[in-house]
Amino acid sequence: MSSNINNSNPSMCIKNRDNLYRLIISQLFYDGHSAIALSLATQVNANPPCSPSDRLMSVVTRGLQHETDRQKESEQTLNLNPIQQMLIGPGIDIEFETNVICTAPEPSLYETIYVTSHKGPCRAGAFSPDGQLIATGSSDASIKILDVERMLAKTHDIGRNDNHEGQGHPVIRTLYDHLEEVTCLEFHPNKPILASGSRDCHVKLFDYSKTSMKKAFKTLNDAEPITCISFHPGGDYMVMGTNSPIIRFYDVNTVQCYVCSVPSHQHTGPVTSIKYEPGAKYFVSSSRDGSIKLWDGISNKCVNTFEKAHNGSQVCSVTFTRNGKYILSSGKDSLVKLWELSTSRCLIEYTGAGTTGKQVHRTQAFFNHTEEYVMFPDEVTTSLCAWNARNACRQQLLSLGHNGSIRSIVHSPNSAAFLTCSDDFRARFWYKKHLIGT
């Protein structure tokens, strides 16, 4: 693993960590835990021997007095308005958290609210940034856009035929402009535009504000089937992954394509997932070559590589936390991992999925809207595994009710809702009303 992040002075980092261990040993001696102190001193080769001291307690007390201000500064960088802060909170930040009680509903409590069907396996899904719309894409080359409020209003109509759009119907647009399977979908961050990637080697941009719109108003052409796309938070650029190892960077307005000027920075296998960091400082990519790469959002150069991130297995998905401090990844080893960028290491492994068979298809791990839970579908049982994001404690399983493999799964950015897309031709919208105080 290589790293260029926060490692400008490694010798100072080592010295500070040695000082930390010495403070811990001295505090243990001071508090009368001599056996533990001696054992730790042996493990870290503390030389010269540490004397009893209460300095660590003093340092911690002073640090805690300033930690609240630091946490507020960290939260302000997320650009959340007061209502968003109240509804979804600042997200996961292990640097400041110790004992946090989850307030969001457990994933096992979600219920299917609406089911929509395609004429082929459903392979892609996405939520709009405001959480009011979802999009589904299929191997039949069609795309549907559905209104969340209308789905909630039709909770008694689960399983009804939804092939016809109409007044009050959840399906507000059906788009046909691809020639092959739709592999990925993403809404523009601030305009009524939906981007779709396909095996036909095209990315299509649709303006869904126009009711008569059926075709894309702009097409990005490539030489390889598209596997993943991500809009720059500003909306003028897009990064793209394909069956080629080379990351594409597009100017959405001019349709000009750029690639990294250093060939050795690229993956060595097809790109499986790509995502911008919310602040646009970085974007992250994963590949069938088993690696995760972190890229500078301005120069498009790779600044960090996590080799064999999932024990050599293909990496299926990568995404940033809202504060940009961590990356959540999943692999075909059925493991989900949380990576800390400042130290370039895996902090937490979420285990227990895939116990009944080897994972065949690529799928995604994701956070709920508050980043209190990590969620990941078990391929063989078509059930949803969930963990407490901070301590990896397993939650109850949720049967997803599909008769085929889950090929895409995404969570709403601001409410207790998620979407599952399956090879059984169906997409299910899941929702849980959060009752305060329950």
Side-chain angles (χ1 to χ4, degrees), residues 49-67:
C50 304
S51 57
S53 170
D54 196 35
R55 186 183 172 198
L56 179 60
M57 177 61 75
S58 176
V59 170
V60 170
T61 301
R62 293 178 184 178
L64 290 174
Q65 292 172 352
H66 296 283
E67 190 174 72

Side-chain angles (χ1 to χ4, degrees), residues 144-204:
K144 291 186 179 185
I145 301 179
L146 298 92
D147 184 283
V148 169
E149 288 299 326
R150 292 185 183 185
M151 284 190 287
L152 293 175
K154 287 187 174 289
T155 56
H156 61 284
D157 290 335
I158 295 176
R160 71 187 295 272
N161 189 324
D162 65 352
N163 290 330
H164 301 287
E165 299 169 24
Q167 185 66 32
H169 196 278
V171 180
I172 62 172
R173 304 283 184 275
T174 302
L175 312 174
Y176 302 96
D177 203 18
H178 282 292
L179 300 177
E180 296 187 43
E181 175 185 317
V182 177
T183 57
C184 50
L185 296 164
E186 178 145 326
F187 284 89
H188 193 282
N190 48 52
K191 293 180 181 178
I193 295 172
L194 175 68
S196 61
S198 169
R199 288 188 182 274
D200 63 13
C201 307
H202 299 316
V203 170
K204 303 279 187 177

Side-chain angles (χ1 to χ4, degrees), residues 114-265:
Y114 195 79
V115 180
T116 188
S117 298
H118 286 269
K119 296 178 181 179
C122 192
R123 296 287 172 82
F127 272 88
S128 62
D130 61 4
Q132 294 302 302
L133 298 173
I134 64 169
T136 63
S138 170
S139 64
D140 67 11
S142 71
I143 300 168
K144 291 186 179 185
I145 301 179
L146 298 92
D147 184 283
V148 169
E149 288 299 326
R150 292 185 183 185
M151 284 190 287
L152 293 175
K154 287 187 174 289
T155 56
H156 61 284
D157 290 335
I158 295 176
R160 71 187 295 272
N161 189 324
D162 65 352
N163 290 330
H164 301 287
E165 299 169 24
Q167 185 66 32
H169 196 278
V171 180
I172 62 172
R173 304 283 184 275
T174 302
L175 312 174
Y176 302 96
D177 203 18
H178 282 292
L179 300 177
E180 296 187 43
E181 175 185 317
V182 177
T183 57
C184 50
L185 296 164
E186 178 145 326
F187 284 89
H188 193 282
N190 48 52
K191 293 180 181 178
I193 295 172
L194 175 68
S196 61
S198 169
R199 288 188 182 274
D200 63 13
C201 307
H202 299 316
V203 170
K204 303 279 187 177
L205 301 180
F206 299 91
D207 182 352
Y208 57 82
S209 66
K210 299 176 180 178
T211 57
S212 60
M213 177 269 306
K214 296 289 184 182
K215 301 292 185 180
F217 70 90
K218 186 174 290 187
T219 299
L220 308 181
N221 300 311
D222 205 276
E224 295 282 348
I226 314 301
T227 57
C228 49
I229 54 177
S230 180
F231 274 112
H232 183 283
D236 291 329
Y237 302 96
M238 173 188 288
V239 284
M240 178 193 303
T242 71
N243 278 349
S244 161
I246 300 173
I247 301 290
R248 278 83 154 142
F249 179 86
Y250 274 93
D251 184 316
V252 175
N253 299 309
T254 66
V255 198
Q256 183 69 42
C257 179
Y258 306 89
V259 297
C260 176
S261 59
V262 186
S264 61
H265 284 197

